[in-house]
């Protein structure tokens, strides 16, 4: 369960074409070429490692999670226009992921798709289902202070929001009321200043 005002599901591939130089035979080279669906040609070593913007895709790719709920601030789904905006954002992530391109569906106030074999649901906290299994819970503090417009235009965050739209104790109560039993919890403070 990823509670955040921005999507941390940027896809990246750790495989560099330079890895091919380590092949000791033609057969090993062929095996490497078959095993990697896409290569990351960036010379920047940081682009080959998980970071704050792509760690969820690492967890999906490595089989750590098979379902992701991205819980967004309520205002993200206030209007049909907002829902269309976030549907397109999710579709862009799906487009960049390796493997089969899945359709992105709007189901009431939820956006659903599959990403590299993982079920992805984007919803408001109130629409998050009760979860019977233990979860990895990731909370980014920008969830508490960001609305739809500020997520799209960061400068508005400083003008529009002096107080949170949801207080931390309200978030904790809502999580508890959903019966969420986390096996691990992470708190993040967005590096981009949301």
């Amino acid at each position: 369960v990823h509670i955040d005002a921005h999507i941390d599901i940027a896809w990246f591939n750790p495989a560099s074409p330079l890895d091919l130089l380590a092949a000791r035979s033609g057969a090993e080279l062929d095996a490497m070429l078959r095993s990697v669906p896409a290569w990351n040609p960036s010379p920047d070593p940081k682009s080959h490692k998980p970071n704050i913007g792509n760690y969820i895709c690492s967890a999906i790719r490595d089989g750590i999670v098979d379902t992701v709920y991205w819980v967004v601030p309520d205002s993200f789904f206030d209007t049909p226009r907002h829902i269309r905006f976030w549907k397109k954002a999710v579709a862009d992530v799906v487009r960049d992921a390796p493997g089969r391109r899945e359709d992105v569906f709007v189901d009431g106030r939820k956006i659903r798709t599959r990403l590299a074999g993982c079920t992805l649901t984007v919803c408001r906290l109130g629409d998050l289902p009760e979860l019977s299994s233990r979860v990895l819970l990731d909370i980014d503090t920008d969830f508490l202070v960001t609305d739809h417009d500020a997520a799209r235009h960061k400068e508005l965050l400083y003008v529009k929001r002096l107080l949170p739209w949801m207080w931390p104790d309200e978030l904790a109560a809502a999580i508890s009321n959903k019966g969420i039993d986390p096996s691990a919890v992470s708190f993040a403070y967005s590096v981009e200043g949301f």
Side-chain angles (χ1 to χ4, degrees), residues 76-87:
F76 281 30
F77 287 169
D78 273 355
T79 68
R81 191 176 107 242
H82 289 174
I83 294 170
R84 284 191 305 272
F85 175 87
W86 293 107
K87 178 184 178 190

Side-chain angles (χ1 to χ4, degrees), residues 56 59-68 118 136:
I56 292 174
I60 293 169
R61 185 188 58 242
D62 295 344
I64 296 169
V65 298
D66 60 7
T67 303
V68 173
C118 175
L136 300 174

Side-chain angles (χ1 to χ4, degrees), residues 46-145:
K46 288 190 270 181
S47 75
H48 297 271
K49 297 178 182 170
N51 64 44
I52 194 168
N54 65 27
Y55 63 95
I56 292 174
C57 284
S58 296
I60 293 169
R61 185 188 58 242
D62 295 344
I64 296 169
V65 298
D66 60 7
T67 303
V68 173
Y69 289 94
W70 174 28
V71 178
V72 298
D74 288 356
S75 68
F76 281 30
F77 287 169
D78 273 355
T79 68
R81 191 176 107 242
H82 289 174
I83 294 170
R84 284 191 305 272
F85 175 87
W86 293 107
K87 178 184 178 190
K88 182 185 179 313
V90 171
D92 289 346
V93 169
V94 170
R95 181 197 65 226
D96 293 340
R100 183 171 174 235
R101 302 297 180 258
E102 300 285 346
D103 290 331
V104 178
F105 300 96
V106 173
D107 178 13
R109 294 205 181 264
K110 295 178 184 174
I111 298 171
R112 298 179 192 270
T113 191
R114 293 195 52 80
L115 180 65
C118 175
T119 300
L120 171 64
T121 302
V122 184
C123 63
R124 301 174 306 173
L125 187 57
D127 297 322
L128 182 69
E130 289 192 23
L131 304 171
S132 58
S133 60
R134 298 197 72 188
V135 302
L136 300 174
L137 177 60
D138 176 51
I139 302 169
D140 193 314
T141 57
D142 69 356
F143 172 85
L144 301 170
V145 296

Side-chain angles (χ1 to χ4, degrees), residues 20 22-32:
L20 296 171
R24 293 178 297 239
S25 68
E28 189 174 343
L29 177 64
D30 287 343
M32 290 173 76

